[in-house]
Amino acid sequence: MPFCEVSKCQNGVDATGNNGTKIFYRTYGQGPVKVLLIIGLAGTHSSWDPQIKALAGTITPNDAESPAGDRSSGEGGGMEVCAFDNRGMGLSSVPTKKSEYTTSIMAKDAIAIMDHLGWEKAHVFGHSMGAMIACKLAAMVPERVLSLALLNVTGGGYECIPRLDRRTLSIAVRFLKAKTPEQRAAVDLDTHYSKEYLEEYVGTKTRRAILYQEYVKGISASGMQSNCGFDGQINACWTHKISRTDLENICSGEFPISVIHGRDDVIAQLCHAQRLAKKLYPYARMVELHGGHLVSHERTEEVNDALLELIKASTSKISPYDWTNLPKKTSGWDTTPLARKSSPEGSRSSVMVDIIARLQIFLVFFFGLFMLAFEFMQRGEEMDGVASNVASPWDFNCNLEVDLGSEENAHIVYTALAVDKELQPDKVKRHMSVSKGKLSVNFEAVEARFLRASFSAFVDVLTLATKTIEEFGPKKE
């Protein structure tokens, strides 16, 4: 089996975090055009099969015997494609320390594979966490990137937090409880695909039924991800950050970029991908498709067409202003502090009072994620895009929006929470508003510990208020 020992393939790259790490990879097809595929969290190289087939013309690895006629099929031709298992997953090494999982370290893994294969340059395509890694790779060695595709990407950190709605609540709880391939497969389907796609019939069966069997088989074959691998890859996502210098380095490569995203993605919100694309103007093109987090599988043909068009644009030396479909920027970098910008919420199913018990679990789960993000910021990391070099005393922020089902319920909860005042108003502030049955809250604090305390106390009172409504409010027939 082909492995790359990372520490032996670091040509001029700092090998921190790569002691003894081996990365399992596979190559497909032959040709002068090189394509490197980087998969996301908990995924393996085989997750790229629909794209490998289109680009290389085969899903049979070069180190295996090819069935008759296999290499002549598909849309690809003249391309060699490499896909690999990230550290912490599949057949690659699983370091035990969280510190050995960052997107920078994992980008060095990808660069080491390019060195190992003797690739001077390549088209680099990444999905989700893999897209974060691809960004870091492009920032480190822009001269080795021919084009960059970022599928279902976010900026990492707090941007990894999904929308607060009924669907993500269910997914979060089920994901935490999943202990078997069958349980994991069921929740993965709802995580990866849009509801409409899963309910479509293919013959006499729904796609959900067909994909469920495939997922169980795939997870059983590769095995459930180890705790060390999962925790490490989560750490890589939470500590990921693209700085202004990184953005400038990526743009210095002057290669075309496609930011491809599913509008129904419940994991990586579309608005974050749109924001990143704008920061990469004029080299980036935004491609929005109807689909979920695994849009590369749900909308295979459209994604493959976008990737092939990107490769073609790279070879044609098209002007970036002819490539981009983004509006012309009127003023330099987007320097609005990310922590102070509220994410636009789509029209989603309401979180009704009758599921308040699960709401409590959900809030506690995501409060843990908030703690991870803000602990990182407390260690001195600045949020990307801060407009001024002068630090604001209210550097720590987060927003929360809860749909309570009706204007009456929202005002009752608002009134109850308004009584609970902050004990140290000079160190933490809380702003609340009610609109269309939704309670919106903005927290600001001078230190991460005060933000955590305020958020935790708020969740306790919110839970009490909503349970009171559930107990004494109008009963459903």
Side-chain angles (χ1 to χ4, degrees):
M1 287 187 177
F3 286 90
C4 168
E5 190 167 340
V6 176
S7 60
K8 293 183 178 180
C9 300
Q10 298 289 342
N11 293 342
V13 178
D14 178 17
T16 302
N18 290 332
N19 295 329
T21 301
K22 293 183 179 180
I23 302 298
F24 176 77
Y25 70 92
R26 278 272 165 76
T27 59
Y28 308 80
Q30 301 291 337
V33 179
K34 311 299 183 183
V35 181
L36 183 68
L37 303 176
I38 310 176
I39 196 57
L41 189 148
T44 63
H45 66 282
S46 61
S47 299
W48 284 111
D49 279 357
Q51 284 63 55
I52 294 171
K53 182 71 173 179
L55 298 171
T58 178
I59 57 172
T60 301
N62 290 337
D63 60 307
E65 290 188 10
S66 175
D70 180 67
R71 297 192 188 279
S72 63
S73 60
E75 304 169 24
M79 297 188 196
E80 183 179 6
V81 178
C82 176
F84 61 94
D85 297 344
N86 285 309
R87 59 172 61 204
M89 187 57 193
L91 297 177
S92 291
S93 297
V94 184
T96 56
K97 297 179 181 178
K98 274 188 183 181
S99 59
E100 294 184 33
Y101 295 85
T102 68
T103 52
S104 294
I105 290 174
M106 295 165 90
K108 295 171 189 173
D109 292 346
I111 295 170
I113 290 174
M114 290 178 64
D115 293 340
H116 177 74
L117 295 173
W119 291 5
E120 182 181 350
K121 296 184 177 184
H123 300 274
V124 180
F125 303 161
H127 175 265
S128 193
M129 180 187 73
M132 300 180 198
I133 296 169
C135 280
K136 282 296 183 183
L137 184 154
M140 290 177 180
V141 287
E143 71 281 0
R144 300 186 66 176
V145 178
L146 295 170
S147 70
L148 182 66
L150 307 173
L151 284 69
N152 299 81
V153 69
T154 74
Y158 83 97
E159 291 188 9
C160 295
I161 299 173
R163 290 190 181 98
L164 181 61
D165 62 21
R166 192 172 192 168
R167 184 178 180 189
T168 50
L169 163 62
S170 174
I171 290 172
V173 174
R174 290 162 57 207
F175 183 85
L176 290 174
K177 292 181 177 180
K179 304 298 181 185
T180 66
E182 291 77 14
Q183 292 171 337
R184 180 61 184 272
V187 70
D188 277 357
L189 292 180
D190 288 323
T191 303
H192 292 162
Y193 302 98
S194 66
K195 183 179 179 181
E196 293 77 12
Y197 181 77
L198 291 174
E199 291 178 348
E200 288 179 3
Y201 273 85
V202 179
T204 59
K205 294 184 178 181
T206 62
R207 290 188 187 275
R208 181 186 294 276
I210 297 170
L211 289 170
Y212 175 76
Q213 296 300 328
E214 293 179 3
Y215 267 58
V216 171
K217 183 179 178 180
I219 295 171
S220 299
S222 61
M224 293 284 283
Q225 188 175 22
S226 68
N227 290 334
C228 288
F230 179 74
D231 291 345
Q233 291 191 354
I234 286 288
N235 182 68
C237 293
W238 279 113
T239 57
H240 175 71
K241 173 190 170 186
I242 292 294
S243 66
R244 185 176 302 181
T245 299
D246 289 334
L247 292 169
E248 291 173 347
N249 287 344
I250 294 172
C251 290
S252 73
E254 299 185 347
F255 43 77
I257 302 168
S258 283
V259 180
I260 305 170
H261 212 93
R263 298 188 188 96
D264 300 311
D265 192 339
V266 299
I267 300 299
Q269 296 189 53
L270 175 62
C271 60
H272 300 315
Q274 293 171 330
R275 182 182 298 138
L276 179 59
K278 290 176 181 177
K279 291 179 181 179
L280 295 169
Y281 179 89
Y283 301 98
R285 170 183 286 188
M286 189 72 209
V287 181
E288 298 179 20
L289 301 172
H290 179 67
H293 189 61
L294 203 56
V295 71
S296 56
H297 284 225
E298 186 169 344
R299 291 291 177 259
T300 298
E301 186 175 349
E302 292 96 323
V303 169
N304 291 346
D305 286 345
L307 297 177
L308 290 168
E309 187 176 6
L310 178 64
I311 293 173
K312 183 179 178 181
S314 171
T315 57
S316 67
K317 305 297 181 182
I318 187 174
S319 163
Y321 295 98
D322 292 330
W323 168 253
T324 187
N325 60 356
L326 300 172
K328 185 176 181 180
K329 297 184 73 170
T330 55
S331 60
W333 296 102
D334 178 6
T335 55
T336 306
L338 298 185
R340 297 184 186 274
K341 293 171 72 174
S342 298
S343 302
E345 295 292 336
S347 175
R348 290 289 197 176
S349 301
S350 298
V351 180
M352 304 302 289
V353 175
D354 61 342
I355 60 165
I356 204 59
R358 290 194 295 166
L359 173 62
Q360 182 182 15
I361 297 173
F362 180 74
L363 290 173
V364 171
F365 171 69
F366 280 110
F367 176 58
L369 300 186
F370 271 113
M371 286 197 297
L372 286 175
F374 288 114
E375 280 291 348
F376 173 68
M377 289 189 291
Q378 189 180 31
R379 291 198 297 267
E381 294 292 332
E382 299 176 353
M383 292 299 293
D384 183 28
V386 176
S388 170
N389 290 329
V390 179
S392 164
W394 306 95
D395 278 343
F396 298 89
N397 305 254
C398 69
N399 297 312
L400 176 67
E401 185 175 273
V402 183
D403 192 332
L404 291 157
S406 72
E407 197 77 5
E408 180 182 7
N409 286 343
H411 278 290
I412 291 173
V413 174
Y414 175 93
T415 302
L417 291 166
V419 176
D420 182 46
K421 302 294 184 181
E422 295 293 347
L423 298 178
Q424 301 185 56
D426 58 324
K427 294 183 174 62
V428 62
K429 294 189 291 188
R430 184 179 66 204
H431 308 281
M432 297 190 298
S433 62
V434 171
S435 177
K436 298 179 180 179
K438 295 180 180 180
L439 176 68
S440 299
V441 192
N442 170 255
F443 301 85
E444 292 181 294
V446 296
E447 295 181 30
R449 60 194 179 100
F450 293 118
L451 186 68
R452 292 198 306 272
S454 177
F455 190 93
S456 179
F458 180 88
V459 169
D460 289 341
V461 180
L462 174 64
T463 302
L464 178 62
T466 49
K467 280 183 175 291
T468 301
I469 292 175
E470 181 184 28
E471 182 69 25
F472 299 104
K475 301 296 183 181
K476 292 186 177 182
E477 296 297 332

